[in-house]
Amino acid sequence: MAKLSDSDNLHQHISKQFDNELLDIRSRVLFLGGLVEEQIESAVKALIEGDVELANRVIKDDDKVNLMEVSIDEECTQILALRQPNARDLRLVVIVIKTIIDLERIGDEAKRIARYAIDLTNHPANYTQLIELEQLAEHVRSLLHDALNAFSRMDVDAALKVVQDDKLIDMEYESIMRKQIAHIMEDPQSTPVSLDIMWSSRSLERIGDRACNICEYVIYYAKGKIIRHISIEQVERDLQIE
Amino acid sequence: MAKLSDSDNLHQHISKQFDNELLDIRSRVLFLGGLVEEQIESAVKALIEGDVELANRVIKDDDKVNLMEVSIDEECTQILALRQPNARDLRLVVIVIKTIIDLERIGDEAKRIARYAIDLTNHPANYTQLIELEQLAEHVRSLLHDALNAFSRMDVDAALKVVQDDKLIDMEYESIMRKQIAHIMEDPQSTPVSLDIMWSSRSLERIGDRACNICEYVIYYAKGKIIRHISIEQVERDLQIE
């Protein structure tokens, strides 16, 4: 009897440890997400204010993002090997592996923006160009923040909202691109400036796409359904039927 | 005794089935890789020849890439849940999950190039612009092919060579970008053409990056080391020391 109780205790103990490990990777994803949000904020600030020192810090700090991604990735593989999770726990580990890849690549985009910021100090942009870019950046950061909140609560509705909101980001991005092309054609000397603005906008637009990827993983975790490549309307219909 | 033998047989049988499953996901990755290679080839052909019909086919066929990616992804999660692999087998499943994400995103880049191909029919590019892009595309396709070969044989040396060769692709890409910027500044009316060439070049350059990602997974599989974020020279030194 005592033996069984020991075994029960051991089982509970292992199960508790395992729960803690799962909680740990979730909170580390959010920490990485926070780091990446800061990188975007600093990169855009460096670009708007022509702050080379800040841009260089973003480029340097990308190493922190990379190291953290590798470390969480290794923790996930350890969990798969040692705990052999299934069902929801397995899905959690799999989506963490995918989410951190997207976060690390968002970090790469922030680094790219920091490089455009340095390049832009050679040929400053005008006020209107910067304001539009700043607005886009603000919306993209807010989208990523919402995506991370959806991840933290594994909230399907919040995740769906992010995927929908990304359409507005795409429209905003297209508008900036059109204006910059017109700008180049009117004033060819502004080409290098306009291209820096265009590349930075595209990096921001890609960050929006990656925020959506994270939300798709959240929906997969909660519903066990891969929703990539399905229209948002179809997903909402599918989820309502359940 | 008979029972033990039955159990042995059963074990061998399951183990054989499991081996087949692992072989199956590997060969499906290569099939997906082949599909994606074709998509790039067709997209670039459509762009060079101004073939809208072919471009539309690439856009439509992206669904096939997406469906296959989802299907392999589901197979991997099944294997993790039912077989609970460890060590090398686990690493294989994890790198397959990552590789197919990169292949699917390469498919997205091919779709983007097909869209630029359609746009380019409104304002045709000149011969030199197209030749340079075609050469870059040829080198990128060859790089991806080498990456898939490295994956198929899990060949670390071949994988390292791809990562090195990608530096040449980056230089070629930078050269195209510089020329297009000069072109725009000389002849602002050519802006839309030059931008299509620049966006297409960037899509190709990103495909090169993703081919490198696949090679990094191959090295991780073979050596159990994550080499992302380490310089290629460091990786070679590390691998020689072993």
Side-chain angles (χ1 to χ4, degrees):
Chain A
M1 190 69 175
K3 224 174 177 178
L4 191 67
S5 170
D6 276 358
S7 148
D8 277 356
N9 277 340
L10 183 67
H11 191 263
Q12 269 191 356
H13 180 66
I14 289 173
S15 161
K16 180 99 185 126
Q17 256 185 354
F18 180 33
D19 286 347
N20 284 340
E21 285 169 12
L22 294 179
L23 272 177
D24 184 57
I25 53 169
R26 276 176 81 152
S27 68
R28 289 182 77 198
V29 168
L30 294 174
F31 188 84
L32 176 60
L35 196 59
V36 162
E37 278 186 90
E38 277 172 31
Q39 286 286 88
I40 302 169
E41 187 172 3
S42 301
V44 174
K45 191 164 185 276
L47 193 138
I48 302 294
E49 298 178 3
D51 187 338
V52 174
E53 200 179 320
L54 184 57
N56 277 322
R57 204 194 311 151
V58 171
I59 294 168
K60 199 170 156 283
D61 283 354
D62 188 48
D63 275 354
K64 289 187 194 164
V65 174
N66 297 341
L67 284 174
M68 177 159 276
E69 189 249 334
V70 169
S71 158
I72 302 174
D73 191 77
E74 281 170 347
E75 195 178 344
C76 287
T77 316
Q78 283 284 318
I79 291 177
L80 287 177
L82 300 177
R83 304 292 186 191
Q84 309 188 322
N86 49 37
R88 271 175 93 91
D89 294 340
L90 173 60
R91 289 211 297 275
L92 178 68
V93 180
V94 169
I95 74 159
V96 166
I97 289 175
K98 292 179 180 181
T99 299
I100 57 175
I101 294 179
D102 281 290
L103 288 175
E104 189 269 326
R105 303 276 160 82
I106 291 176
D108 288 345
E109 297 295 350
K111 190 162 82 170
R112 283 195 185 98
I113 295 172
R115 289 205 178 113
Y116 302 133
I118 295 171
D119 193 57
L120 210 50
T121 56
N122 299 318
H123 34 248
N126 69 43
Y127 181 75
T128 325
Q129 287 178 311
L130 291 180
I131 285 294
E132 283 181 341
L133 189 74
E134 196 174 20
Q135 277 173 352
L136 177 65
E138 188 47 44
H139 296 154
V140 167
R141 275 209 304 127
S142 153
L143 195 82
L144 176 60
H145 195 76
D146 293 346
L148 291 167
N149 274 341
F151 180 94
S152 108
R153 300 190 309 267
M154 293 297 163
D155 179 337
V156 172
D157 290 333
L160 278 172
K161 189 168 179 307
V162 168
V163 178
Q164 263 172 332
D165 287 351
D166 185 50
K167 289 182 185 167
L168 302 176
I169 303 268
D170 289 345
M171 283 164 63
E172 209 175 332
Y173 160 75
E174 292 295 342
S175 157
I176 291 181
M177 299 308 267
R178 273 195 305 275
K179 280 186 198 165
Q180 295 307 317
I181 294 173
H183 200 64
I184 289 175
M185 291 174 84
E186 272 167 29
D187 174 16
Q189 290 312 309
S190 74
T191 304
V193 182
S194 287
L195 285 175
D196 279 336
I197 300 285
M198 288 165 93
W199 295 131
S200 303
S201 305
R202 169 160 278 209
S203 281
L204 289 168
E205 185 260 341
R206 288 283 171 97
I207 292 173
D209 289 346
R210 292 191 177 274
C212 288
N213 293 344
I214 294 171
C215 288
E216 286 163 9
Y217 307 145
V218 169
I219 295 168
Y220 166 70
Y221 171 75
K223 299 285 176 183
K225 278 187 183 168
I226 295 177
I227 67 148
R228 274 195 315 284
H229 324 308
I230 308 174
S231 78
I232 190 79
E233 294 76 16
Q234 183 64 45
V235 171
E236 284 182 329
R237 270 199 304 276
D238 287 357
L239 294 180
Q240 268 162 14
I241 289 166
E242 282 175 5
Chain B
M1 191 71 177
K3 223 173 177 179
L4 191 66
S5 169
D6 275 358
S7 148
D8 277 356
N9 277 339
L10 182 65
H11 191 263
Q12 269 192 357
H13 180 65
I14 289 173
S15 159
K16 180 96 185 127
Q17 256 186 355
F18 179 33
D19 286 346
N20 284 339
E21 285 170 10
L22 293 179
L23 272 176
D24 183 56
I25 52 167
R26 276 175 80 150
S27 68
R28 290 182 77 197
V29 168
L30 294 174
F31 189 84
L32 177 60
L35 196 58
V36 163
E37 278 186 89
E38 278 171 31
Q39 287 285 87
I40 302 170
E41 187 173 3
S42 300
V44 174
K45 191 164 184 276
L47 192 140
I48 303 294
E49 297 178 2
D51 186 339
V52 174
E53 200 179 319
L54 184 57
N56 277 322
R57 203 194 312 152
V58 171
I59 293 167
K60 199 169 157 281
D61 283 353
D62 188 48
D63 276 352
K64 289 187 194 164
V65 174
N66 297 342
L67 284 175
M68 177 160 277
E69 189 249 334
V70 169
S71 158
I72 303 174
D73 191 77
E74 281 169 347
E75 196 178 342
C76 287
T77 317
Q78 282 285 317
I79 292 177
L80 287 177
L82 301 178
R83 303 293 184 189
Q84 308 187 321
N86 49 37
R88 272 175 92 90
D89 294 341
L90 172 61
R91 289 211 296 276
L92 178 68
V93 179
V94 169
I95 74 159
V96 165
I97 289 175
K98 293 179 179 180
T99 299
I100 57 175
I101 293 179
D102 280 290
L103 288 175
E104 189 268 326
R105 304 276 160 83
I106 291 175
D108 288 343
E109 298 294 350
K111 190 163 80 170
R112 282 195 186 99
I113 296 171
R115 288 205 180 113
Y116 302 133
I118 294 171
D119 192 60
L120 211 50
T121 55
N122 299 318
H123 34 247
N126 70 42
Y127 181 74
T128 324
Q129 287 178 310
L130 291 180
I131 285 294
E132 282 181 340
L133 189 74
E134 196 175 20
Q135 277 173 352
L136 176 65
E138 188 47 45
H139 296 155
V140 168
R141 275 209 305 126
S142 156
L143 195 82
L144 176 60
H145 196 75
D146 293 347
L148 291 167
N149 274 340
F151 179 93
S152 108
R153 300 191 308 268
M154 293 295 162
D155 180 336
V156 171
D157 291 333
L160 278 172
K161 190 168 178 308
V162 168
V163 178
Q164 264 172 332
D165 287 350
D166 184 50
K167 289 184 185 168
L168 301 175
I169 303 266
D170 289 345
M171 284 163 63
E172 210 175 331
Y173 161 74
E174 292 295 343
S175 156
I176 292 180
M177 299 306 267
R178 274 196 303 275
K179 281 186 197 165
Q180 295 307 318
I181 293 173
H183 199 65
I184 290 174
M185 291 174 84
E186 273 167 29
D187 173 16
Q189 291 311 308
S190 75
T191 305
V193 182
S194 287
L195 285 175
D196 279 337
I197 300 285
M198 287 166 93
W199 296 131
S200 303
S201 305
R202 169 159 278 208
S203 281
L204 290 168
E205 186 259 341
R206 287 281 171 97
I207 292 173
D209 289 346
R210 292 190 177 275
C212 288
N213 293 343
I214 294 172
C215 288
E216 286 163 8
Y217 307 145
V218 168
I219 295 168
Y220 167 71
Y221 171 74
K223 299 285 176 182
K225 279 187 183 168
I226 295 177
I227 67 148
R228 274 194 316 283
H229 324 307
I230 308 174
S231 77
I232 190 78
E233 294 75 17
Q234 184 63 44
V235 171
E236 283 182 330
R237 269 198 304 276
D238 288 355
L239 294 179
Q240 268 162 13
I241 289 165
E242 282 176 4

